Amino acid sequence: MTTRFQRTPLRRKARAVGVAALIATLITGLAACGSGPEKQETKAKEKITIFLAAPVNSPAFYPVLVPKAMGFYEDLGLDVTILNVDGSPAGIQQILAGRGDALFGAASAILAGFADGKPIQAVYEPSTQELLTVLVPDASPIRKLEDLKGALVGVRGPGAGEIAQHAALLSSVGLTLGEDVKFVPVGSDVKVINQQLASGTISAYLGVSVAAAESKTYLPAGTLREVPIPGAAAGAKPNSPIIFSEKMVKEKPQAVEAFLKAVVQGTIYTNANPEGAADALAKMAPDLAKDRAKFDKYVTNVLPIAAPPAGESISSWNFGSMSMGGWKGLMDESVSQSKFSGFTRSFSLEGFVNTSFIDKANDFDKEAFANEAKTLKSR
């Protein structure tokens, strides 16, 4: 359900930074009004369907969800539909079948799509933080990665993309996953993870930061803690990019640009006004928001996922930034851990990684947008 908001300078600004095609439409309409009794026609909004690689609209997807709830897509001439799928491979298949245009999913699965020559392109990287996490009970003697030697750890599942990344991480401290560190699939339900950790069935959980955000939300304070990950560089490798079909990128680049601009606006809004964003996200995920106190805490816990990295401000950071070098780093890491990733050799990334939209998506007064967002509330 789309939530409309008061006509504030922010909404006028959202329109001001919209696609040039909207201005052209207004000019055409004015000309028509002055030329006779012909009825003025309103230009239809461009339709885009994006899949989220999760069964529910988790607040972790806020860069895409908030613009929908706030009407930012609509202001930029788009009619956006958001659908859920069970994992990134399923989302890619939906795109290839012509049932949608884009996916917000896992980089590892998307890289596999590149390797198979799928006609998809990565155009935007929402995450700015290291998404890997190692969770242990608060009283655990495990304080650093090296302490995992000889431990039995839990992972999401045998096909989870982050397993290869964790294997590479452990390799960097001289440990081999599956040998020095044994693992067992336990899923991603925080309640199950907590039970396994509390009972001592597993000593640690190797997952992604969303699991950590949920643990901070739904478990008592002091239940779990994260083991520091050394040398984690924000933005060094892609984590959860947004991809579009090659067809959409080639045939409707203005629509892709408008969509990503709205994603930047939604990201800025969420970090500038967490309370307003929580209201918006609650409308996108009413079942998750039944306990609003915990839901609001969840939103707060996931804010860093797409916030400007340390040392960057809203005005200086190019939201969505990614690099060919970062993707190559992920590929090299995957090849080095072929046992878990399935990658046996490198391949060319040309035609799969498209950074041409980033500057355009960030081309508006972001600081002013953030300042006005601080007081913008839903009706």
Side-chain angles (χ1 to χ4, degrees):
M1 178 175 68
T2 301
T3 305
R4 305 304 298 164
F5 295 83
Q6 296 175 349
R7 300 291 180 181
T8 67
L10 175 58
R11 288 185 61 75
R12 291 195 295 273
K13 186 175 294 294
R15 285 186 166 80
V17 298
V19 243
L22 294 180
I23 298 175
T25 301
L26 290 174
I27 294 174
T28 302
L30 289 172
C33 288
S35 61
E38 293 90 349
K39 185 177 181 180
Q40 180 181 346
E41 294 186 3
T42 302
K43 183 177 179 180
K45 296 187 184 299
E46 198 70 67
K47 293 182 180 294
I48 291 178
T49 295
I50 182 168
F51 299 102
L52 305 183
V56 295
N57 289 341
S58 162
F61 291 101
Y62 73 80
V64 165
L65 293 171
V66 167
K68 176 69 173 178
M70 296 293 290
F72 295 158
Y73 293 129
E74 186 179 350
D75 287 341
L76 291 171
L78 302 176
D79 177 4
V80 174
T81 298
I82 299 174
L83 300 176
N84 302 97
V85 289
D86 188 13
S88 298
I92 293 174
Q93 288 304 314
Q94 291 292 318
I95 293 175
L96 297 179
R99 301 188 185 99
D101 310 290
L103 168 71
F104 188 167
S108 55
I110 290 167
L111 186 65
F114 294 165
D116 290 339
K118 308 296 188 197
I120 52 177
Q121 292 186 8
V123 298
Y124 188 100
E125 173 56 66
S127 64
T128 59
Q129 313 296 321
E130 172 60 66
L131 292 191
L132 297 181
T133 188
V134 178
L135 296 175
V136 297
D138 189 55
S140 171
I142 297 173
R143 297 287 170 181
K144 56 186 184 300
L145 290 180
E146 291 89 335
D147 296 338
L148 289 171
K149 185 171 184 178
L152 176 65
V153 302
V155 297
R156 185 158 56 96
E162 71 271 9
I163 294 181
Q165 293 173 279
H166 274 293
L169 189 64
L170 291 171
S171 179
S172 70
V173 296
L175 299 178
T176 300
L177 185 61
E179 296 179 12
D180 301 310
V181 182
K182 304 293 185 181
F183 66 93
V184 60
V186 296
S188 57
D189 188 307
V190 169
K191 292 181 180 178
V192 174
I193 295 169
N194 184 47
Q195 290 170 354
Q196 296 281 314
L197 290 168
S199 66
T201 304
I202 58 174
S203 299
Y205 179 76
L206 311 185
V208 294
S209 60
V210 173
E214 289 189 20
S215 73
K216 294 174 184 175
T217 302
Y218 298 108
L219 299 180
T223 300
L224 301 178
R225 60 177 165 79
E226 293 182 81
V227 176
I229 294 178
K237 293 188 293 290
N239 290 297
S240 52
I242 292 174
I243 64 170
F244 269 83
S245 69
E246 185 178 89
K247 177 181 172 67
M248 189 74 175
V249 170
K250 289 182 176 179
E251 296 182 0
K252 299 181 179 180
Q254 288 183 325
V256 176
E257 176 186 335
F259 179 88
L260 297 180
K261 188 182 292 290
V263 170
V264 174
Q265 292 175 350
T267 304
I268 293 174
Y269 177 83
T270 303
N271 282 275
N273 189 347
E275 182 180 345
D279 286 340
L281 289 166
K283 293 178 173 65
M284 297 298 295
D287 289 341
L288 292 179
K290 288 179 180 178
D291 186 332
R292 272 305 298 267
K294 288 185 176 180
F295 185 80
D296 291 355
K297 187 178 179 182
Y298 194 173
V299 173
T300 299
N301 290 338
V302 299
L303 287 181
I305 287 177
E312 298 283 355
S313 66
I314 285 175
S315 58
S316 68
W317 177 244
N318 250 14
F319 290 87
S321 291
M322 61 180 181
S323 70
M324 188 69 79
W327 275 97
K328 188 172 186 310
L330 177 63
M331 181 167 59
D332 292 343
E333 182 179 86
S334 299
V335 171
S336 74
Q337 301 297 326
S338 59
K339 175 181 177 181
F340 302 103
S341 68
F343 286 94
T344 57
R345 60 183 178 81
S346 299
F347 59 93
S348 174
L349 290 164
E350 289 297 328
F352 295 112
V353 179
N354 185 343
T355 61
S356 67
F357 293 99
I358 305 302
D359 287 342
K360 298 172 185 176
N362 284 269
D363 189 19
F364 64 98
D365 192 338
K366 295 181 288 187
E367 199 67 47
F369 193 95
N371 288 334
E372 295 181 34
K374 293 175 183 177
T375 58
L376 183 62
K377 305 288 184 182
S378 61
R379 288 180 177 178

